[in-house]
Amino acid sequence: MAQRVLALAAEEGPERLQEALQGLGEGELGEMVTKQALRGRETAALLRGIFRGSPCSQPSGVLRRLEVYKHCVPLVESGDLHLSKASEIIGLLMLEVRQLPGPALAELATLFVDVVKGGSLSNGKSLELFSTVLTALASSKESLAYGKGELNGEEFKKQLINTLCSSKWDPQSVVHLANMFRDIPLSGEELQFVVEKVLRMFSKLDLQEIPPLVYQLLLLSAKGSRKTVLEGIISFFNQLDKRLKEEQKVPQSVDLEVATVPLDQLRHVEGTVILHIISVINLDQDLGEELIKHLKTEQQKDPGKALCPFSVALLLSVAVKHRLQEQIFDFLKTSITRSCKDLQFLQASKFLQDLFPQQYDITAVILEVVKNSAFGWDHVTQGLVDLGFSLMESYEPKKPFGGKAAETSFGLSKTPAQQACRLGASILLETFKVHEPIRSDILEQVLNRVLTKAASPVSHFIDLLSNIVVSAPLVLQNSSSRVTETFDNLSFLPIDTVQGLLRAVQPLLKVSMSVRDSLILVLQKAIFSRQLDARKAAVAGFLLLLRNFKILGSLTSSQCSQAIGATQVQADVHACYNSAANEAFCLEILGSLRRCLSQQADVRLMLYEGFYDVLRRNSQLASSIMETLLSQIKQYYLPQPDLLPPLKLEGCIMAQGDQIFLQEPLAHLLCCIQHCLAWYKSTVRLCQGAEDDGEEEEDVGFEQNFEEMLESVTRRMIKSELEDFELDKSADFSLSSGVGVKNNIYAIQVMGICEVLIEYNFNIGNFSKNKFEDVLGLFTCYNKLSEILREKAGKNKSALGNKIARSFLSMGFVSTLLTALFRDNAQSHEESLAVLRSNTEFLRYAVSVALQKVQQLEETGQTDGPDGQNPEKMFQNLCKITRVLLWRYTSIPTVVEESGKKKGKSISLLCLEGCLRIFNTVQQLYAARIPQFLQALDITDGDAEAADINVTEKAAFQIRQFQRSLVNQFSSAEDDFNSKETQLLVTVLSTLSKLLDPTSQQFLQFLMWTVKICKENALDDISCCKGLLTLLFSLHVQYKSPVSLLRELAQDIHACLGDIDQDIEVESRSHFAIVNAKTAAPTVCLLVLSQADKVLEEVDWLIKKLTSLGSDTSEDSTQASNQTQALEKGIILQLGTLLTVFHELVQTALPAGSCVDTLLRSLSKTYTILTSLIKHYIQACRSTSNTIPGRLEKLVKLSGSHLTPQCYSFITYVQNIHSESLSFVEEKKKKKKEEAAAVSTVMAKVLRDTKPIPNLIFAIEQYEKFLIHLSKKSKVNLMQYMKLSTSRDFRINASMLDSVLQEHNTEDAENEPDNDQSTTAEQPDENQEPKKKRRRKK
């Protein structure tokens, strides 16, 4: 039959063909097509023949065509046909679709919908035909029967799509269907419907099938609904990530349940999806814009949803496109700082923490992206690197004007900017560890920045470089050429940068000979440079090399400050360089350094400070170094035993023209000798065996030389008078003359030498009485000079007046000395120590030096002297010193000591100050070791395990000691009350309180105790009162909101200062005795207002959150509405109580000045925040038909009855005060014409003080304006609670006008331009009227 149809189709006339086809029975036509198709012969020709013999003008022809279509669709989907054959059939059918009438198209389309519903699509080939059918149907103008009614083609298509999207889809065919919809013209509504259906299908698909579907969706989004598509994709992967995280948290169950999503598979799918999105954004730029816009709006509502690991990775991948990079980085940077600020804000307030228990931390999210990018996300890495550098540069440490940059390498990151900078470094370090290909690029960029940013602080880049080198030192070998290039620029860099850079790349010097040699060449050149900084850089470099290239046989120093060489590099160095080579190399360097001993003082100083560390790390160099030092000191030492003074000070200075410089820092040289000798005696001599007899004799030479020399210098220094050094009370110490400069240099050198000898003699003295008498003799010399310098500085009113010169004592010695002076109970030591203990000045000096050392540690993270850069040693010394100072302060109270005191601070007070500094320093530098620190202070407790230490309990124990001292202060007689000590105690308590867990019982007890102290003690001392109240507020906010506390304080202030209306008697409700006539204003008042401002800031922040929650219309709306209600309740309660606080303060007769000014500003802020709350409710009424809550109505009523009227009375009161001061000025003016300057000053002050008034009136009026809006929207009359005030109306008193104008014509002309707001115009009138009234009263 098929052959016959083909033959007839070839004829010219179609009549015979039509007859033949009509003669076919039911089903025969389909069978014929199937057979022909399966044989693969001339199927297309047969179909063309059938269509030719079935013209659409005849109903039978249409039916035949329909039969062919209905038969071919299942045939193509059956999978029995070859793909090319199926495409051929579909192509032919698509061509003929346009011929079909509307009803036939409708029937065909319905058939397709049924096929999809039935799930019988296998390869989706026939869907190409479906899209053509729907397109043709949409353009059909005929009326088509649908159900019981009729629809046109477009409406019929819409109904079909609706049905299709409402029915169940086979997961296999989702991609084909999504592809099909691209070819159909869809209205916006239909497209949205389709997109939502496809997104709903995501969860039913296998993970591997999602990328192709995402790609189809993205192509489909070119028609519209981009936001929905992006939102759907991001939230789907966000949910998967969350589910995976939760599964990882739960430990594996016994039956080893398989994870729902394999981690690596999910990451690879996410990576592919991101690639698809980027490729589509390359074609459709609007999609990129839409992505940023969507995430920005989403971030306002719920940052955790907007910036999840997947969306951040996506953003960073898109950022590689330069057009969007700036937008994306700006968005990410603001999000990061905002997240850090919000976290800080939340941590500072218990009230906010209760409302927001879950805190979103973007830093964790971004570091998770770095971790995820290990799964082949190469497209994200460049974005990560750029973001890291962008953060580090945008938020780098700032250099204060004229000062040294604030170091960031030690201590905690406190400000959001510091945290952002630290995050940038973490991103780069983690990316460096994970991605090998990009390592050289990161290294290159870090080195470039270290070189190019020499003027600004680069400590953060050097820290990063150091961490990078430690994480993968051998990577540097591949980039060694880049490092040697950097070395060429060393002589142009600041010394701090050079030291940091060399420390960072030091592991490389051990594995790469070429790098080491190039460094030595650079340093050799630098030593002879004309620039001082270059020579200092050379010394720093050489000292580092000496420290790190050990000669075999050197002692392995247990005191090594830090093993800089990373473990990977410990491929034994001596395998590369034998010990002979190392020794020759080190001696060559020492030779170069000897030349430096004839250079400027700064260069010599670096050498003297560095030699001790070199010795400690490379003990075989001991004899060379000691010989060098010996030959150097001999230039200044006078060996004759009776000659005074023992050292030539003239040789230490150099004159250039009129100027005099220090040439040889002699005290530092002696200090270096003393430390090296002590180390040599304690370490090397003990370890040298009998076999080195000859060598030992040679070494003994310099050791004996040094000992004799130091002994002789000590003896002669004690005998020397100040006149021997040309220094006495009559000497000139002014820094303006050459002689004065010389005397200052001499004085500092002599004092330094005394200190060095004090340390030396104490250490070798072994508690002998004679040696301790020598120590005291040296101290007498030191003290005389110190007194003279202090006296002279006092006369010059210099800031250095009360500071002692930087001490030469080492931190280790200070801790030993203090322990001996205050805590040594050994019987054998008692007699000798009594010599030192009897000298109060010496005791005070010892504690003062300890204080100075701690301050230096706090400010720079290290101290002078040996082990000053070793954090472990510093920590141990801090613990020892704290133990002594604490014991000294608690066992000998200041009162006992002060009775016999002459001048200067008492030792107990110095001890307390020391404790405070140490507590601050430990929290800043050793936060991780606070448990061990507190453990070390508690002598009663044995060596408990670090894990068992309860910080809160230990801190509470220390707090109790200081509480007792404070209570003693309050209970002491008025004459014995020590204001300075009380302030210090309060500060110590607030520092220690940071260690308490705010949820603990101890914290609550401490808070209650502080409240009790404030309630029961009437303090007149303003600074103590300020300290106590600040402590109270800082504790209270961590427990609950302080508004009720503020209300009580405000009532006390009102009762103390009286009412603005003098006829009213304020009932005395004294809650806090600390509020009294002396402290109420301005101290307490300003503190209360500043705390109220903080609460207002919190409320403002909450209202913003509330507004963003209100605009969130997501599925979990019930949860959102619950949170919204909680927020609204919190906001209204806070504002309500604050209104009562201001209600009290506004009626208080505050003195003119800062209190009035601050109160007016706070009131303006309050009304502004009330206005934003009202605006939120106006918005809420627009979006939903909600009525306003009763709570809000009460708040508005309260503001109308308790605040606005009183504000206007207060404004009148303020203007009265100022008018009085103006009238007083005018009277003066009439008496004396020459006091014009005084008059203008008062006028300016009045103008300045009344400036906030118009702003306040404007804020009140804005509030009332929006109340009227809200009343209309909510149908609740809120304005019934507001009373119109007369204070705002113009009152022109005609009878007075002339006289006023005559008096003030000049002033008005000058002042008028300043009053830029119309409301200010009332002031001159208002200022005058009360003045007249007062005069009448007189």
Side-chain angles (χ1 to χ4, degrees), residues 250-262:
V250 179
Q252 291 287 309
S253 54
V254 186
D255 53 354
L256 288 173
E257 231 178 280
V258 182
T260 48
V261 183

Side-chain angles (χ1 to χ4, degrees), residues 150 196 223 248 261 302 665 686 1162:
E150 286 191 341
E196 282 171 4
K223 296 181 173 203
Q248 285 172 342
V261 183
D302 181 2
L686 294 174
S1162 295

Side-chain angles (χ1 to χ4, degrees), residues 84 128 152 169 175 180 281 512 597 637 680 867 1104 1179:
S84 59
E128 293 174 29
N152 66 20
W169 289 2
V175 179
M180 174 199 81
I281 286 177
S512 170
L597 290 175
Y637 172 64
Y680 182 80
D867 296 320
K1104 282 176 189 151
Q1179 190 62 39

Side-chain angles (χ1 to χ4, degrees), residues 631-694:
S631 64
Q632 187 70 6
I633 190 72
K634 276 182 176 172
Q635 297 174 33
Y636 306 99
Y637 172 64
L638 300 165
Q640 296 88 333
D642 301 326
L643 209 57
L644 298 181
L647 297 162
K648 280 190 289 193
L649 288 181
E650 309 83 59
C652 300
I653 56 171
M654 182 180 73
Q656 268 184 6
D658 297 343
Q659 291 182 307
I660 290 184
F661 299 102
L662 174 68
Q663 175 72 10
E664 174 67 75
L666 196 55
H668 283 91
L669 172 57
L670 261 184
C671 187
C672 177
I673 289 172
Q674 191 264 115
H675 289 308
C676 291
L677 188 62
W679 178 85
Y680 182 80
K681 282 163 69 175
S682 65
T683 315
V684 179
R685 294 296 304 281
L686 294 174
C687 301
Q688 276 179 342
E691 68 267 24
D692 297 339
D693 288 339

Side-chain angles (χ1 to χ4, degrees), residues 1096-1167:
L1096 284 171
E1097 273 174 34
E1098 287 177 11
V1099 171
D1100 193 28
W1101 185 81
L1102 284 174
I1103 292 174
K1104 282 176 189 151
K1105 288 277 174 202
L1106 191 60
T1107 312
S1108 60
L1109 273 176
S1111 59
D1112 192 5
T1113 51
S1114 54
E1115 308 85 64
D1116 44 343
S1117 54
T1118 50
Q1119 186 189 341
S1121 71
N1122 289 347
Q1123 196 177 4
T1124 305
Q1125 282 174 3
L1127 283 183
E1128 287 177 351
K1129 183 181 176 184
I1131 289 169
I1132 290 172
L1133 286 175
Q1134 290 290 84
L1135 281 174
T1137 320
L1138 269 185
L1139 288 187
T1140 59
V1141 173
F1142 287 123
H1143 168 71
E1144 293 290 340
L1145 291 177
V1146 155
Q1147 295 179 81
T1148 307
L1150 293 171
S1154 56
C1155 289
V1156 169
D1157 190 43
T1158 315
L1159 177 56
L1160 289 170
R1161 289 177 203 283
S1162 295
L1163 287 167
S1164 302
K1165 203 182 284 185
T1166 308
Y1167 278 107

Side-chain angles (χ1 to χ4, degrees), residues 41-111:
R41 289 188 205 148
E42 299 173 316
T43 317
L46 176 66
L47 286 173
R48 276 194 210 95
I50 294 173
F51 287 143
R52 192 174 174 219
S54 314
C56 288
S57 51
Q58 301 169 4
S60 59
V62 172
L63 285 171
R64 253 198 312 285
R65 282 185 175 227
L66 263 180
E67 196 180 330
V68 170
Y69 274 97
K70 285 179 180 174
H71 187 75
C72 282
V73 170
L75 177 64
V76 168
E77 288 297 334
S78 65
D80 297 339
L81 298 184
H82 193 274
L83 209 57
S84 59
K85 187 59 66 181
S87 297
E88 190 183 9
I89 293 172
I90 290 294
L92 196 69
L93 295 178
M94 283 163 72
L95 284 172
E96 296 295 329
V97 162
R98 297 277 172 194
Q99 312 285 332
L100 290 171
L105 285 170
E107 193 178 335
L108 199 52
T110 314
L111 163 82

Side-chain angles (χ1 to χ4, degrees), residues 118-181:
S120 51
L121 286 176
S122 65
N123 56 14
K125 202 74 199 153
S126 60
L127 288 176
E128 293 174 29
L129 179 59
F130 185 22
S131 62
T132 318
V133 170
L134 281 176
T135 310
L137 188 61
S139 55
S140 166
K141 299 286 181 276
E142 299 171 56
S143 290
L144 308 169
Y146 184 82
K148 292 182 180 174
E150 286 191 341
L151 301 171
N152 66 20
E154 182 62 46
E155 288 168 343
F156 194 88
K157 180 200 77 167
K158 192 174 181 180
Q159 284 299 334
L160 279 178
I161 288 175
N162 207 329
T163 313
L164 189 60
C165 291
S166 310
S167 60
K168 189 180 176 186
W169 289 2
D170 178 25
Q172 301 292 323
S173 54
V174 180
V175 179
H176 303 309
L177 285 163
N179 187 15
M180 174 199 81
F181 280 114

